[in-house]
Structures are given as structure tokens and as C-alpha cells.
Amino acid sequence: MSNQPGTAARPPKKARKPATLGPLQVLGHTGLSAWQLAAAVREQLVPDAGPPWPVDVADGIRDRRDEIVAVLGEDPPIGGHRAAHRLAARTELAVEKWDVGALAAAGHLAIDSYYDEWPIYDCRALDAVPVDVLAAIVGDRVAWFDASVHVADAAGYLGWRRDEFRRVAAERDLTPDDYNRIGKAELDALAGDEDLAEQLRVDRLLTTQQATEKLELRSTDFKYLIAADLLAPKTYTSVQVSRYREVDVPLYRVGDLEELRSHPAIDWEALHSVKPGDPSPLRELSNRPVDRAAAIRRWIARLGQKHEIETWAWWHPGAGRWEIDFERTGALTVDDVRAAIAADETMSQYEDDIAVSTHAGAALRWARVMREPGAAVILDTETTDLDGYVVEIAVVDAATGQTLLDSRVNPRCPISPGARWIHGISDDDVADAPDWSEVLPQLLAVTAGRTVLAYNAGFDHGVVVGHSDRDGLDPAHLADFANWACLMGRRSDWQLRRRWLPLNGSHSALGDCQSAYELLQAMTSPSR
């Protein structure tokens, strides 16, 4: 058009200069890095005018770039681990993160700022730390390490069992320091406490075989001690006997065994002189004859074979009775079983001592419902403390065992030494992990419309809701405890124990979920 006769050529348009610059544009314009610009604003070296940044302000920053860099330096502030590496490279000393913190605590190194709750150090300040000052700090730490033991090795140092050390440490309020270490002097004092040593000895737990050997009895005689209520297990431990099954193993306290030596009803001379195959001298003391146990177990087994169902029987020492139960298929009712007991010549003798239909049967049937496709998931968390926040979470499908979620979480707060001792997750392990705000949507998606099973549902529910509340997030359906169910209680019912049983998992969220899944499989398997 501009070449047509009578038409004047238009001058080219001038590029319009932007009025403001975005976050990336201002960095290119001023020649500063992102951390330098943020620090310059924080230190009030430049006005807090963006983003977006007015061009005239950006021009002023650009003109003063060298002045700003002279104040802030070229290298960005760094955290404890990188600071230790920088100091080690300069001084050739074996510097660790703890030494950097000790320098700051002693006033030899200023903290530049914080990332969340973690201190950040200026590189120029690190480069200015005198070598002799740093050497003294490192030397003090090395000397302390020589005079102390890591808490994980404390039981071995004392020659104790781990559970014994944990109990004594809790009773004596013996806690590790920031290095997770305990002084050898404190441990030596424990080792020299004769009263404590004797208490640990009598509280030590033995298996049935060990207890039988300690009392120098035959296994038959030991069974009669139990049947006569002269001895009872102090506790139980779970032992894996196959991939999908655990059994409860009774443990007996040494002090309780030794007290039997002076029991007036036991003739120890007769017990130790009895010949193999002879009746036990304790037979007359038993309020639960062994032949009764055999009779009830044989009868309940025949009942199961007849109706092609699972059955089981168990003596409840607390209630002083037998409990029997069976799989519910509709072919047999509780009244049918009671009638069959009354009609049996042998079983009718024990009718008043037998309870039919217990919590164990209900637990088994519940477990089968939970293993229906799409019915439930299994969840576990690892936390910063007993009442802390999530550092790891996992979810598996209760029907298939498929992993639906497995993630570390940055809790934005320190992990306590006690928690770190249990699950092994450190603050550094979660430093680059996603926030709870990123993980919660995934958690809500994989748990939607399903019952959430947790080994200790009250604990995990409280952690999920508490973490969400702290961060101002909505836990949606996970807030309602009616959507949760506790595996620990159901397991105790299933195994006919009136106590809480430990899961004995790996203390990782996914590992504990897998252990709980195997437990659920065992509860629904026909091997009981």
C-alpha cells in the first residue's frame, strides 16, 4: 500500500519499553542471582518493589550491582552439610555438620538466615573462621565420641538386651544428646549398679524350653505347672513360622520361676526324681487336666471336618474356661454347637467351662470382608515424634497388597532423636521430600471410598488429621474416624489374647504396611 501513488510511507513503529519486569526478567536485567536479589531486599539494600519490578527500580539495582555483590558475596548461603564440606576442604580437618552448629553456638560463626527451621551460613563467614578455632571444635567432638557410645550400641556396650536398655533408659530419664550418643561414664554407672543388675536378671524372660530347663523339669511337668495356675507367662512374643503366619510364643520371668522353688504345694525332690513315663507329681494340683484339653481339641476338630469349616479352641487362663469358635457359612449356628456339646457324653462334662462364639470368630469374618476387592486399604506412618508429624507414609491395597502410595514427607520441623532411633529417618533424609500439601491429595485419592486399616488406627488417624490441621489443609474423609479400623485390636481378638500385640514390622511405613497385609492374609487363611 505504501508504494501506491499519492500514499506517504509510514515510519516504522518503535518497540515499546516495558513498564515492569517479571521475576526472571529482573534477574537478567540486573545481573543478580535469585538469592542475591532476595538477600538484597531482606537486608534493605534495595527497595522491596516487586515482583513485578518497575523498570526504573530495576535500572537502579543494575547500576549498583557491584556494590550489592560486594556486600553479599558471589556464593549463596549454604546449609550445615555443605558448610562442613567447605570448611573441610579449606582446612583439611574432618569437619562434620555438628561442628558447624557448635561454631555458631560458641559465637564463632553467625547464622545468615533460616530455611524453614534450618540455619543457613554465609560462605564468606565460613571462609573467615580461624583454623585453630575450628580445630578445637572438631577436637572436642572427636574426644566426646571417644568418651561416648551411640545409643544404638549402648545395649551391646553394657552386655544387655536392647529391650532392657530401653526400659532402664526410660526409667532413669537417660536420653541421648544431639549427636545421639550417651557418655560411657553414665553407662559404666549403670553397669556398676548391683541392685539394677539383679532386677534385670530376675526380670529376664525365657521361652518355654528355657524355663523348663531352668527348673530341671520334664516338659510334661512344666505343662502341669501351667495347668495348675502355679505359673503364667509374663508376656508373649510373635514369631514368624511361615510367610503368612505368626504364632505367639509365651515368655516366662526368671523371678517368677525362682519363686516356685519355695512354693509349699510343690515337692521338688519328687519332681526331680520322677522317671520318664511316670505320672507327674503335679497332676493332682491341676485344675485343667491335660486329658480335658485333648478331648476338647479332638471334638472341635471333628466338628470342623464334619461340616467342612474352620474351627479352633483355646484355653483362656484369665476367664478360667475354654473358648471355641467356628467359621460361619450358614450351615451351623451357635445354638447348634451348644446343643452338640450338651449331647456329647464327654463334652457335656465340660459344658459349663466352655464359651461358644468368641471375638476371634468375629475378627476372622471381619478380616475376610476387609480383603474383598475395593473394600479397604492398609496405611502406616512414621513420624517426627509420638505426637508429631508425618515423615513417611505408605498405603497398600488390602485385597492384593499392591502399593498405592509410598512417600517421604518433609515435616518442616526436626525429627526427635527417639523417633530417629526407631525408624532411622533423619532430617537430611526428608530435606528434599515433598510437603504434606503435595502428599495429602494423593492420600485422599487412594483411600477414597475405602475403609482405612491401620495397625494402631487411633495413632495414625491422629497424625494425619493433626498434620493437616497444622498446615491448614482439609483431610476430607480421613477426618472421620468411622472410616478407619484398627488391625491391632482385631489381631488380639483373632489370636485370642486379651492384650495388645506388637506388629514387629520393619519400622518403615511401607514395610509395616506389608507386615500388616501379611497379618490380614494370615487371619483369612484356612491354616488356623
Side-chain angles (χ1 to χ4, degrees), residues 347-465:
M347 292 293 288
S348 61
Q349 303 175 52
Y350 314 127
E351 185 175 3
D352 293 339
D353 298 326
I354 298 175
V356 181
S357 182
T358 67
H359 293 297
L364 187 149
R365 293 189 292 275
W366 169 85
R368 288 184 170 166
V369 172
M370 292 298 101
R371 291 208 64 205
E372 289 292 325
V377 296
I378 300 171
L379 175 149
D380 189 76
T381 61
E382 302 296 337
T383 61
T384 59
D385 211 336
L386 282 177
D387 56 351
Y389 304 100
V390 181
V391 297
E392 189 174 66
I393 188 166
V395 179
V396 302
D397 190 299
T400 65
Q402 177 187 359
T403 301
L404 305 178
L405 176 64
D406 180 21
S407 178
R408 292 274 174 86
V409 178
N410 190 330
R412 303 300 177 191
C413 64
I415 299 171
S416 72
R420 187 166 64 248
W421 183 17
I422 292 172
H423 53 56
I425 301 172
S426 68
D427 297 321
D428 291 334
D429 293 333
V430 296
D432 298 324
D435 288 351
W436 185 240
S437 60
E438 300 173 63
V439 176
L440 180 59
Q442 302 173 53
L443 176 62
L444 294 177
V446 299
T447 57
R450 300 195 187 192
T451 299
V452 180
L453 309 181
Y455 195 70
N456 185 348
F459 173 80
D460 289 300
H461 171 264
V463 168
V464 168
V465 173

Side-chain angles (χ1 to χ4, degrees), residues 58 170 192 209 340 385 433 469 522:
Q209 181 178 349
D385 211 336
D469 288 347

Side-chain angles (χ1 to χ4, degrees), residues 325-326 328 332-340 356-357:
D325 216 323
F326 56 96
R328 308 302 165 84
L332 193 66
T333 67
V334 173
D335 288 340
D336 292 336
V337 175
R338 287 176 177 149
V356 181
S357 182

Side-chain angles (χ1 to χ4, degrees), residues 116-200:
D116 287 337
E117 298 182 6
W118 303 107
I120 305 296
Y121 304 94
D122 186 285
C123 289
R124 293 173 303 170
L126 290 166
D127 295 341
V129 172
V131 176
D132 58 338
V133 170
L134 179 60
I137 293 287
V138 173
D140 288 344
R141 174 181 54 78
V142 171
W144 168 240
F145 274 43
D146 288 340
S148 62
V149 174
H150 192 278
V151 70
D153 301 321
Y157 179 85
L158 291 164
W160 296 355
R161 299 177 183 176
R162 282 181 175 268
D163 60 314
E164 291 173 338
F165 175 72
R166 291 193 187 102
R167 188 177 82 243
V168 172
E171 292 171 353
R172 303 291 180 92
D173 195 24
L174 189 66
T175 56
D177 65 359
D178 291 341
Y179 300 114
N180 220 19
R181 303 180 73 84
I182 297 175
K184 290 179 180 178
E186 292 180 272
L187 297 177
D188 291 341
L190 290 179
D193 188 331
E194 294 182 0
D195 291 338
L196 175 61
E198 175 61 14
Q199 189 62 52
L200 289 176

Side-chain angles (χ1 to χ4, degrees), residues 97-115:
K97 179 182 177 182
W98 296 302
D99 302 322
V100 180
L103 281 170
H108 299 302
L109 177 64
I111 296 174
D112 180 79
S113 58
Y114 287 86
Y115 176 73

